Amino acid sequence: MKFMHFTSGYFICIFYSVYSYNVTDEDRLYRDLFNNYNKELRAGNDRDYPLNVSMQFYLLAIKEFVEASSKFTINGVFYTHWRDERLSWVPAKYNNITKTLVSQDKVWIPNIVNINPFKEVYGLGSNLVQVNVDNEGSCFWVTMQSFEVVCDADVTYYPFDKQFCALRFVAYTVGVDWLNIYFPNSKVTLTSYEESGLWEVEDTTNYSHTEEGTTFVVVGLHLKRRSTYYIASLLLPMTVVAILQAFVFLLPNDAGERVGFSVTVLLASVVFLTIIQGKLPEASEPNISVLGFLLFGYVILGALVTLCVILSANIHSFKEDTCMPKWLKILCCLKTIDAKGPFSTNIVMNVEPQKEAKEKECRSWSWKDVAKRFDMFCFISSLFLYVLQIIIYFGLAT
């Protein structure tokens, strides 16, 4: 048994020693390949047909999306493949070498440039990237980069919005008769993607298309915002603060803090509006955020509540001998007469006594009673308007 193990190990060592190569062999291969190689010439022996270049994008992470500045940053990898017959060799001549690594600045590579950069125009790869070349001349170019591009956000339904952001590239200085770029898979590969805490990737796409003889490459991401954080930290607090302002009418007029309370809550709504404006882009297209309109409605309604509080305080401060306006007397004296039908005899019989009782009641009212009735009317109306605004917003946004 020991002899058999020894024999097996011996033959394995012989087998690997026969097919192994050293740095001298690879150095000789390198010198032979690039002896007369011109990287300025496009790969492909048949110049009558465009060179086929296969691409695939692997998304690694979404770094940030700043809606106010339209800056979208992601980490990803482009896997690019083509064939350059000038880089093929016979493995037997080089101790069975079947593949090697070459710096990208030593070989011809597709000149693909980003056309929607956030700052400066840039291409794929760098001098640190190497191209994997096999003995048949197949080149595998793997470029990992951090891409900063411009993505105009549509914040109409913020924070329940969905966005589409894309990396856009062009095969610079090369026409479709020279280069045919295609994607074997129409979807971005997400096998190595690290989930974002803010954005959910709903769908992806990558494709190439031709415009005026030029090939464009597009990698697109359909994103949906995770809105739980915004509901808990923004929508609920500002809604509670806004609704709280309606309860100012339940405070007694004699307390003297009603105006200060309403102004303070109004300022809180303005602060929320300022926070939202700092997060959203300064643009009117395609639409202004519905959340901005909601906060604007809160501010306007808050201003009206403050005016009503001031008016109620003035009514409450009137002296009892001050003459009550005629319209207010009419408003006080209006009362619906209960009846079984439009021809009920109870109406005729009870009109005069009810009018006399109502006029007597109006004469007995004081300005403080009028202020209380006015406060209750304003409380119910403002509360209804706040709730109505919230229902309309969520109906539109979700």
Side-chain angles (χ1 to χ4, degrees):
M1 183 65 68
K2 292 183 178 179
F3 177 76
M4 292 179 63
H5 283 297
F6 174 77
T7 306
S8 301
Y10 176 75
F11 279 109
I12 290 173
C13 291
I14 293 177
F15 177 81
Y16 276 104
S17 64
V18 169
Y19 288 94
S20 64
Y21 62 90
N22 54 39
V23 67
T24 304
D25 300 325
E26 194 166 10
D27 180 66
R28 183 163 53 89
L29 170 63
Y30 191 91
R31 284 186 281 105
D32 290 346
L33 286 178
F34 295 99
N35 185 24
N36 294 314
Y37 184 87
N38 187 354
K39 69 175 185 178
E40 302 298 329
L41 298 179
R42 175 182 63 86
N45 281 335
D46 196 342
R47 316 304 280 186
D48 293 333
Y49 295 94
L51 176 68
N52 291 321
V53 177
S54 170
M55 298 187 71
Q56 185 60 36
F57 184 75
Y58 293 77
L59 179 63
L60 299 181
I62 298 176
K63 291 181 63 177
E64 63 176 346
F65 186 16
V66 185
E67 297 89 343
S69 59
S70 300
K71 179 182 179 182
F72 181 60
T73 308
I74 62 173
N75 293 338
V77 177
F78 269 107
Y79 182 86
T80 311
H81 167 254
W82 69 93
R83 188 178 181 188
D84 192 343
E85 291 84 353
R86 296 172 297 175
L87 298 177
S88 60
W89 69 88
V90 179
K93 292 183 179 181
Y94 302 95
N95 205 2
N96 294 313
I97 298 177
T98 57
K99 59 183 178 180
T100 186
L101 291 174
V102 181
S103 177
Q104 76 167 41
D105 61 346
K106 297 292 185 181
V107 298
W108 177 90
I109 58 174
N111 192 10
I112 300 176
V113 180
N114 179 248
I115 57 174
N116 65 330
F118 182 74
K119 289 184 179 179
E120 299 178 357
V121 177
Y122 56 87
L124 292 183
S126 67
N127 293 331
L128 301 176
V129 179
Q130 292 181 307
V131 181
N132 193 321
V133 184
D134 66 13
N135 62 288
E136 295 181 351
S138 294
C139 300
F140 303 91
W141 186 34
V142 182
T143 55
M144 182 176 66
Q145 289 181 238
S146 181
F147 300 94
E148 288 187 358
V149 297
V150 174
C151 179
D152 294 327
D154 181 3
V155 293
T156 304
Y157 304 114
Y158 176 91
F160 303 99
D161 53 322
K162 297 181 179 181
Q163 307 293 340
F164 175 75
C165 293
L167 310 179
R168 304 182 187 276
F169 298 87
V170 62
Y172 189 61
T173 69
V174 181
V176 290
D177 350 339
W178 283 45
L179 209 60
N180 176 35
I181 300 177
Y182 68 95
F183 286 86
N185 187 0
S186 62
K187 301 293 183 181
V188 172
T189 305
L190 302 176
T191 53
S192 302
Y193 173 63
E194 181 181 350
E195 286 288 341
S196 170
L198 184 57
W199 295 99
E200 175 186 350
V201 180
E202 285 195 319
D203 195 11
T204 63
T205 181
N206 44 207
Y207 61 91
S208 62
H209 64 98
T210 303
E211 291 183 12
E212 300 179 356
T214 304
T215 301
F216 292 85
V217 175
V218 178
V219 176
L221 302 176
H222 294 269
L223 306 175
K224 179 182 179 181
R225 190 189 300 273
R226 303 182 191 271
S227 56
T228 306
Y229 168 78
Y230 297 94
I231 294 175
S233 64
L234 185 64
L235 283 176
L236 288 180
M238 74 179 189
T239 301
V240 170
V241 169
I243 293 179
L244 187 63
Q245 191 167 16
F247 287 85
V248 70
F249 295 105
L250 300 184
L251 292 175
N253 261 305
D254 297 330
E257 299 295 333
R258 286 158 54 104
V259 176
F261 177 85
S262 59
V263 171
T264 302
V265 178
L266 177 61
L267 291 177
S269 298
V270 174
V271 170
F272 277 115
L273 181 60
T274 305
I275 294 174
I276 295 299
Q277 287 177 342
K279 290 180 174 292
L280 303 182
E282 297 178 358
S284 299
E285 294 295 336
N287 288 301
I288 300 176
S289 174
V290 179
L291 182 60
F293 284 114
L294 176 66
L295 281 173
F296 179 72
Y298 283 169
V299 172
I300 295 299
L301 190 53
L304 292 177
V305 168
T306 304
L307 291 176
C308 290
V309 168
I310 296 174
L311 180 59
S312 175
N314 286 331
I315 295 175
H316 184 270
S317 64
F318 285 162
K319 295 180 180 180
E320 296 303 328
D321 56 352
T322 304
C323 182
M324 190 175 294
K326 184 177 181 180
W327 64 269
L328 189 56
K329 289 182 179 180
I330 297 175
L331 185 63
C332 293
C333 295
L334 287 178
K335 184 177 181 181
T336 304
I337 303 173
D338 296 330
K340 296 180 180 179
F343 301 102
S344 176
T345 57
N346 292 333
I347 298 179
V348 180
M349 295 174 61
N350 297 331
V351 166
E352 292 301 328
Q354 287 182 3
K355 281 186 177 181
E356 292 179 2
K358 192 62 181 176
E359 289 176 357
K360 184 178 180 181
E361 181 183 355
C362 285
R363 288 192 297 269
S364 65
W365 278 8
S366 65
W367 284 106
K368 292 183 179 181
D369 296 326
V370 175
K372 288 180 181 180
R373 291 290 183 95
F374 179 75
D375 287 342
M376 186 56 61
F377 170 78
C378 291
F379 170 70
I380 296 174
S381 300
S382 59
L383 197 61
F384 170 76
L385 291 176
Y386 277 123
V387 174
L388 181 63
Q389 287 184 90
I390 296 168
I391 293 174
I392 294 175
Y393 168 73
F394 278 99
L396 292 174
T398 59

